[in-house]
Amino acid sequence: LLGSRRRLPTALAGELALASADLVDAATILSDVIERSAVEAERARALNQLVELELVRGNPGRATELVTHAFAREDELDPASRAQLHLAQARVDYYVGAVANARAALGRALGGFKAGGLTGVAIAEIGALIEARRALCLAREGRLSESSAALDAALTAAREVDAVAVADEVRASRAQ
């Protein structure tokens, strides 16, 4: 009887569907989490992934709409959830070519994660991820030496906490 009870989907389930290239299932799961989860951090994480999915689909208008709608409820957000939204906003800004805005959003995201009480390995991981994305912005602005230094710092931080996924994103950023 307990085994037949349907659980609410989680942002992790959506991320796994996205990672396995099941875009339809990922979008369904992530949208469901955003609408039904009682946990704000879970909704923000799902929104961040859904924005990523919309950009992969080549739909920056929908991604912008998702972020704008989420920021409309900003007074309900804790600092870490707001930081997730800033990460999503940075992704959209970078995609549409507003690189300076993307860098500013990344700065707000890092500040939000720190204000949200993220410490230790978690802040090192997110810091490395943000630094890798900031390096992409710097490179796109033609600031190559700063970009290279940011990527080196991000890779070092990712290696120190053994964050394989973050190290992979840093290497992907270097390749771009």
Side-chain angles (χ1 to χ4, degrees):
L1 187 62
L2 289 176
S4 66
R5 188 180 243 178
R6 182 170 152 79
R7 295 183 60 199
L8 287 175
T10 63
L12 178 59
E15 288 174 24
L16 292 173
L18 183 57
S20 67
D22 187 350
L23 302 185
V24 173
D25 198 30
T28 301
I29 293 169
L30 293 169
S31 295
D32 196 34
V33 171
I34 292 166
E35 290 176 23
R36 297 176 47 192
S37 179
V39 180
E40 186 61 43
E42 187 76 2
R43 287 195 309 265
R45 181 176 170 186
L47 180 109
N48 196 2
Q49 291 300 313
L50 188 56
V51 164
E52 191 76 32
L53 172 72
E54 291 299 338
L55 294 176
V56 166
R57 287 178 164 172
N59 195 354
R62 173 72 176 133
T64 300
E65 179 185 308
L66 288 166
V67 173
T68 302
H69 183 272
F71 272 124
R73 300 177 299 117
E74 188 170 10
D75 56 322
E76 303 171 18
L77 300 175
D78 60 84
S81 296
R82 189 174 301 110
Q84 283 282 352
L85 297 184
H86 285 300
L87 270 181
Q89 182 66 59
R91 213 42 150 175
V92 173
D93 288 340
Y94 183 82
Y95 186 91
V96 299
V99 180
N101 292 346
R103 271 193 315 110
L106 289 169
R108 288 189 299 275
L110 185 57
F113 282 119
K114 288 179 178 177
L118 212 55
T119 60
V121 172
I123 195 66
E125 265 187 57
I126 199 69
L129 178 74
I130 289 171
E131 201 60 21
R133 291 181 182 178
R134 191 176 77 81
L136 283 174
C137 293
L138 291 167
R140 201 157 176 194
E141 292 173 330
R143 298 163 61 183
L144 300 180
S145 62
E146 289 176 76
S147 175
S148 181
L151 281 173
D152 291 342
L155 190 55
T156 299
R159 285 181 180 152
E160 284 177 7
V161 295
D162 201 23
V164 176
V166 175
D168 288 345
E169 181 152 341
V170 171
R171 283 195 274 303
S173 296
R174 190 177 301 278
Q176 291 182 18

